[in-house]
Amino acid sequence: MKKRIWLWLFGFLGFTVQAQEVSFLRLLDAHTAQAVEGAHVSLIWEGDSLYTVSDAQGRVELIDQDLLWIKVSHLSYEPYQKAHPKAGSLHFLVPEKGQLEEVVVTGQNAPTLSRNAVRQVRIIDAQRIQNQAAVNLKDLLSQDLNFRISEDGVLGSQISLQGMSGAKVKILIDGVPVIGRMDGNIDLSQINLNAIERVEIVEGPMAVTYGTDAVAGTINLITKQSQRRRWQSNANAYVESVGRYNTDASLQWALNAQNQLSIDLGRNYFQGYDPDGQARDLQWNPKEQYFGSLQFKHRQGNSLWRYRLDAFQETVKNKGAIGSFDSLLVPVDTGAWKYPRALDDEYLTTRLNHSLYYHNYPEQGGRWKGFLAYNYFRRQKFSRIRNLHLGTEQLFPDADAQDTSIFKLISSRLMYHRKWAEKFDYQLGYDFSWEFNSGKRIEGEVQDILDAALFATAEYKPWEVLSLKPGLRYAYNSRFEAPLIASLALRWEMRPSWILRASYGKGFRAPSLKELYFLFVDENHNILGNADLKAETSHNYQLGLSYHYDKADWHWQTEARFFFNDLRDEIRLIAILSPTDTEPRGLYRNQNVARSQSAGLNWNWRLAKGGWNTELGMAWIGLKNEYAFSDPSANQFNFYPQYRWSISYQFTKWHLKPALFMNYTGERKDLALDAEGNLNTRTYSDYTLADFSLQKAFWKQRFLLTLGIKNLFDVGNIAVSGTGNGGTHSTAAGSLPINYGRTYFLRCQWKLD
């Protein structure tokens, strides 16, 4: 017994001495000087070895200094080995020839290197999110090609992709749909990036796999999953001169080899902004957000279970102008004065998402992957009369002044993937969603819609250089006749450095419950849904050619791509009766219009050498709406240009990184009807958004300080000419808000492990 105690004691002391000698070496990308996470590392001593994995900073822990060899393998890098590595040394991994891309999962039968994907998948990685100091998805996509973002003071940020509205863009988080579309759009400022590892974007229809809404494209946000150490934590603080104050923190804890737990909490606050510093009714409304997530992962044998809970609450205050309720100061009988009052609106949004994910890798081969999710979205509107002298308030008694809209979604998807022989693999799956919408502005106050589908995709390689990927989806919908959806994609590696991609996809968008059953009639609105709406359908064609070249320590790649969308039965809010002096509300109703089209040509170029990384992108996007088809004199596309440029450099010695992002959107024209029903041209002026950031790392990369300037050219509202009535949520005639001007920011990040 005593012998065991002494052995235990000496073992403990030996461990303590070793623990005091813990040090690290770091693995970096030879082209970008960025940390390489997830590399498989073998540390070899005389007669012994140890297997480990590099962490998020590219670090590998060393306990013994007398190593004979280090051997490294990674899916995206060439095999690496080094004799007698020393603590603190840097090791640069060379990317596989032509493979700077990451692994992608969106629309894939199995995780695939992006350059090997049959359809082009664009990745916005964690490093770019970091460089931009992007807080939410709106911040991030404002510097991306083919996207156009505008702002509504009440409904939040709105998006278009490939010239089509955000109603036709599917937004997912780990494959689970995001719900809560107001006026057809998801407010991108409600999607925080604190727990997001990367964003994958596929342009064009992905309806075979993801169903409705995936017409213009699919945006899939991938949450952080990797955990290399027993526990790790981080905290972030962000301050912007316009009055944005954000904080968040996270903790990841590996309970044991089978179980992991992570928690994220945060608060974002924006005090509001108006160009007129004295105004009470602000153009950019004050906003406060609280958010958090809880994730638990359990691995058992060949199965992995993951449960994730996301909670979000946002309060937006839309303050009325002084005297918006009482326009004049008037005396009363008592001789006292009646002080002015204002009518204030408050919007409270609550999101609650439960997701249970399942992965299984049977020993006999194949792969199961699926999820079961419940999403809850509630938006409440409160209208209050506020006495600006006494500071008191009361609910506005009008019957339509208070409103609550609730969306609920039960969804599930299960897929089975298997490789059959060397040239063929396939994926089979089902997709299920059951959505409920309730509120007093919904006909009958409660409506639901159910969609169930079976889908299949396959990838066939008749030759090593050629891949064909067909897909088919058959669906049942409880409200309309769902079309049969088909797609076909091709990838041809013409030469080792040349890749040709071509695809055809049929997309569809089911009418939303609000479009079918919305009924809003009051003194200011007269809007009707339409239960007879048909689903929107589209035909998308894409053709792209890419080239990559590697030489020594530098890499560059370029790609040109053409797309064309032909959209049928598009759902629009149409003025059945234009506003008049006797009926200023007019009458609006959702209807299918005959046809709309968009087309475009994109060119992208990227160069990486040492610490340099620069990208240049150009796009020409053309739109032709239903009015152009009805007017022979206007039967043409209205094209507008877009240019994007970014550059960054990593000073490895000083742990310093400057980065610059610029995005120019050219003058855009569109056809519209004016209040008298006449066809005119609506013109949106051009603008340039530019951001600059400077990062500095301290304390062995554990503390990161970023400061910079957003909106260098001080863009606010852009001019809009020829504006017609535009619908019920159009902006004020003559302008469209894009940003709130030039601001300065500071971001601090702490990483502890």
Side-chain angles (χ1 to χ4, degrees):
M1 182 66 180
K2 290 182 178 179
K3 184 178 180 180
R4 290 182 180 177
I5 293 175
W6 281 109
L7 289 174
W8 179 87
L9 181 58
F10 279 123
F12 176 79
L13 291 175
F15 173 80
T16 304
V17 172
Q18 286 183 341
Q20 292 174 350
E21 297 177 359
V22 170
S23 55
F24 300 89
L25 56 81
R26 293 191 66 206
L27 305 179
L28 303 177
D29 187 298
H31 290 165
T32 66
Q34 300 302 310
V36 176
E37 179 182 6
H40 299 267
V41 182
S42 295
L43 304 174
I44 303 172
W45 295 271
E46 184 71 42
D48 197 8
S49 64
L50 174 67
Y51 170 82
T52 186
V53 178
S54 61
D55 65 13
Q57 285 77 48
R59 298 179 302 181
V60 177
E61 184 176 308
L62 297 180
I63 298 176
D64 193 318
Q65 304 298 320
D66 298 324
L67 284 175
L68 295 180
W69 288 92
I70 174 177
K71 294 185 177 181
V72 182
S73 63
H74 191 286
L75 184 64
S76 301
Y77 294 86
E78 295 179 358
Y80 173 87
Q81 64 180 17
K82 177 74 173 178
H84 305 292
K86 300 299 181 183
S89 58
L90 301 178
H91 299 264
F92 292 90
L93 305 185
V94 178
E96 282 282 356
K97 188 173 178 61
Q99 293 185 3
L100 284 180
E101 298 86 352
E102 299 183 47
V103 173
V104 295
V105 297
T106 306
Q108 306 302 311
N109 290 357
T112 307
L113 280 172
S114 61
R115 80 174 302 266
N116 293 336
V118 179
R119 291 198 61 171
Q120 186 69 46
V121 182
R122 193 157 84 247
I123 300 172
I124 303 178
D125 60 14
Q127 189 60 51
R128 173 157 157 211
I129 296 174
Q130 176 72 45
N131 292 346
Q132 279 190 235
V135 174
N136 52 52
L137 191 58
K138 178 220 169 186
D139 294 342
L140 186 65
L141 297 183
S142 65
Q143 290 289 352
D144 215 58
L145 207 60
N146 276 3
F147 286 100
R148 195 177 72 249
I149 296 176
S150 60
E151 187 75 20
D152 185 287
V154 173
L155 301 178
S157 56
Q158 303 181 16
I159 189 177
S160 73
L161 175 61
Q162 287 194 349
M164 293 189 284
S165 71
K168 301 165 183 58
V169 179
K170 189 90 169 186
I171 300 179
L172 312 166
I173 298 179
D174 287 337
V176 177
V178 177
I179 64 171
R181 293 180 181 271
M182 306 304 296
D183 202 25
N185 283 268
I186 300 290
D187 182 1
L188 303 185
S189 66
Q190 293 184 351
I191 303 178
N192 292 281
L193 301 178
N194 68 308
I196 300 303
E197 182 177 88
R198 68 183 187 276
V199 178
E200 299 181 358
I201 302 169
V202 181
E203 297 185 26
M206 293 293 291
V208 167
T209 303
Y210 297 115
T212 182
D213 301 337
V215 176
T218 301
I219 303 172
N220 191 13
L221 291 88
I222 311 299
T223 59
K224 297 175 182 176
Q225 299 296 321
S226 58
Q227 184 171 338
R228 308 302 178 192
R229 305 180 64 80
R230 174 75 183 212
W231 69 273
Q232 56 194 45
S233 63
N234 63 70
N236 305 311
Y238 177 92
V239 179
E240 192 172 344
S241 60
V242 73
R244 293 175 73 179
Y245 307 95
N246 305 332
T247 56
D248 64 80
S250 66
L251 172 66
Q252 296 85 40
W253 184 18
L255 306 175
N256 50 47
Q258 289 77 37
N259 301 294
Q260 294 181 7
L261 178 68
S262 64
I263 300 173
D264 295 89
L265 297 171
R267 174 184 182 263
N268 293 342
Y269 175 76
F270 173 49
Q271 68 182 19
Y273 172 78
D274 193 88
D276 179 2
Q278 304 301 316
R280 185 176 188 273
D281 52 328
L282 306 177
Q283 184 181 84
W284 299 80
N285 290 323
K287 183 182 299 185
E288 187 174 25
Q289 300 175 341
Y290 290 91
F291 53 90
S293 66
L294 172 69
Q295 181 172 266
F296 179 74
K297 294 170 64 176
H298 173 71
R299 184 180 295 277
Q300 184 175 9
N302 296 326
S303 298
L304 175 65
W305 296 86
R306 178 165 65 96
Y307 167 73
R308 184 176 180 88
L309 167 65
D310 292 286
F312 173 89
Q313 188 172 81
E314 177 189 76
T315 302
V316 177
K317 295 184 178 181
N318 184 20
K319 297 180 180 180
I322 297 175
S324 57
F325 193 76
D326 295 307
S327 59
L328 298 173
L329 291 170
V330 294
V332 294
D333 294 341
T334 61
W337 286 87
K338 181 179 180 182
Y339 289 92
R341 295 179 290 178
L343 184 61
D344 293 353
D345 292 333
E346 183 177 276
Y347 299 87
L348 180 63
T349 300
T350 302
R351 292 181 180 271
L352 192 63
N353 304 324
H354 299 268
S355 304
L356 179 63
Y357 299 88
Y358 173 68
H359 297 254
N360 181 264
Y361 304 87
E363 294 181 0
Q364 66 272 23
R367 177 172 178 262
W368 291 94
K369 179 182 179 182
F371 71 81
L372 174 64
Y374 171 74
N375 294 8
Y376 175 86
F377 175 91
R378 182 182 66 195
R379 191 170 193 261
Q380 298 169 281
K381 176 192 175 185
F382 303 97
S383 293
R384 297 184 176 93
I385 306 167
R386 185 171 181 81
N387 187 306
L388 301 179
H389 173 65
L390 301 177
T392 58
E393 61 182 24
Q394 65 184 78
L395 288 176
F396 184 40
D398 188 87
D400 291 307
Q402 325 302 325
D403 180 57
T404 298
S405 295
I406 296 176
F407 298 83
K408 301 176 184 178
L409 176 67
I410 300 172
S411 61
S412 177
R413 183 180 300 126
L414 181 64
M415 298 168 287
Y416 176 73
H417 167 254
R418 189 179 181 91
K419 190 168 185 177
W420 185 35
E422 290 297 321
K423 296 185 177 182
F424 184 79
D425 69 81
Y426 62 89
Q427 178 177 266
L428 305 174
Y430 80 78
D431 193 19
F432 173 86
S433 66
W434 192 6
E435 184 177 356
F436 301 82
N437 189 192
S438 60
K440 63 183 180 181
R441 294 175 182 171
I442 295 294
E443 181 182 335
E445 295 197 358
V446 179
Q447 295 290 344
D448 70 295
I449 186 169
L450 183 146
D451 187 271
L454 298 173
F455 63 89
T457 62
E459 187 170 337
Y460 174 58
K461 300 183 71 172
W463 302 284
E464 184 65 27
V465 297
L466 181 65
S467 298
L468 299 172
K469 188 173 183 178
L472 193 65
R473 181 187 183 95
Y474 175 77
Y476 162 79
N477 190 282
S478 61
R479 296 291 183 178
F480 69 97
E481 185 177 351
L484 185 67
I485 302 299
S487 66
L488 178 63
L490 172 148
R491 178 185 181 276
W492 177 23
E493 194 166 341
M494 304 166 61
R495 292 187 177 184
S497 296
W498 291 91
I499 298 175
L500 177 72
R501 289 183 173 91
S503 67
Y504 161 77
K506 184 175 182 179
F508 83 101
R509 185 178 79 87
S512 70
L513 288 169
K514 290 190 71 173
E515 289 170 331
L516 291 168
Y517 301 108
F518 193 60
L519 179 63
F520 187 20
V521 179
D522 66 4
E523 61 181 7
N524 298 313
H525 301 83
N526 196 3
I527 307 171
L528 304 176
N530 185 352
D532 296 324
L533 289 173
K534 297 184 291 184
E536 297 177 346
T537 59
S538 71
H539 299 275
N540 173 272
Y541 305 88
Q542 296 194 51
L543 179 65
L545 180 64
S546 63
Y547 174 77
H548 62 90
Y549 180 71
D550 295 89
K551 183 178 180 180
D553 66 336
W554 67 282
H555 166 89
W556 71 276
Q557 60 188 37
T558 186
E559 179 201 16
R561 182 162 54 90
F562 166 79
F563 70 85
F564 175 76
N565 293 293
D566 190 4
L567 182 64
R568 307 295 181 96
D569 296 320
E570 183 179 12
I571 299 171
R572 290 279 188 93
L573 191 62
I574 302 297
I576 304 300
L577 296 174
S578 297
T580 63
D581 293 337
T582 57
E583 179 50 84
R585 300 175 303 174
L587 176 61
Y588 297 88
R589 187 182 187 187
N590 290 313
Q591 285 191 348
N592 294 106
V593 299
R595 194 175 185 184
S596 300
Q597 292 179 343
S598 69
L601 180 65
N602 297 340
W603 177 73
N604 290 279
W605 174 79
R606 177 186 176 188
L607 171 65
K609 176 177 172 58
W612 288 100
N613 198 324
T614 184
E615 297 183 46
L616 178 65
M618 303 180 185
W620 292 267
I621 301 172
L623 309 173
K624 185 163 73 170
N625 63 18
E626 75 276 15
Y627 303 119
F629 287 97
S630 61
D631 186 349
S633 64
N635 191 6
Q636 60 183 355
F637 281 94
N638 284 317
F639 280 90
Y640 68 92
Q642 187 179 14
Y643 307 108
R644 176 184 177 270
W645 179 56
S646 67
I647 186 169
S648 64
Y649 182 73
Q650 178 74 48
F651 294 93
T652 306
K653 182 178 179 180
W654 298 292
H655 305 293
L656 191 68
K657 184 174 185 178
L660 176 67
F661 298 87
M662 299 182 66
N663 193 342
Y664 169 80
T665 300
E667 183 181 85
R668 179 172 61 91
K669 296 183 178 181
D670 199 6
L671 293 176
L673 294 177
D674 61 20
E676 287 74 38
N678 300 315
L679 189 65
N680 69 1
T681 299
R682 183 184 303 171
T683 303
Y684 302 82
S685 64
D686 63 336
Y687 60 94
T688 301
L689 296 177
D691 301 333
F692 173 78
S693 67
L694 182 65
Q695 296 178 20
K696 170 65 176 174
F698 302 89
W699 191 28
K700 297 181 180 180
Q701 307 291 321
R702 290 191 175 98
F703 180 78
L704 186 64
L705 186 68
T706 306
L707 54 88
I709 307 173
K710 291 192 173 182
N711 196 1
L712 281 164
F713 299 112
D714 201 24
V715 176
N717 296 350
I718 63 170
V720 182
S721 60
T723 305
N725 51 31
T728 60
H729 289 288
S730 60
T731 60
S735 67
L736 180 71
I738 298 296
N739 208 308
Y740 36 67
R742 184 187 303 113
T743 61
Y744 306 88
F745 71 88
L746 174 67
R747 184 174 189 173
C748 302
Q749 297 172 279
W750 295 266
K751 297 181 181 180
L752 299 175
D753 53 27

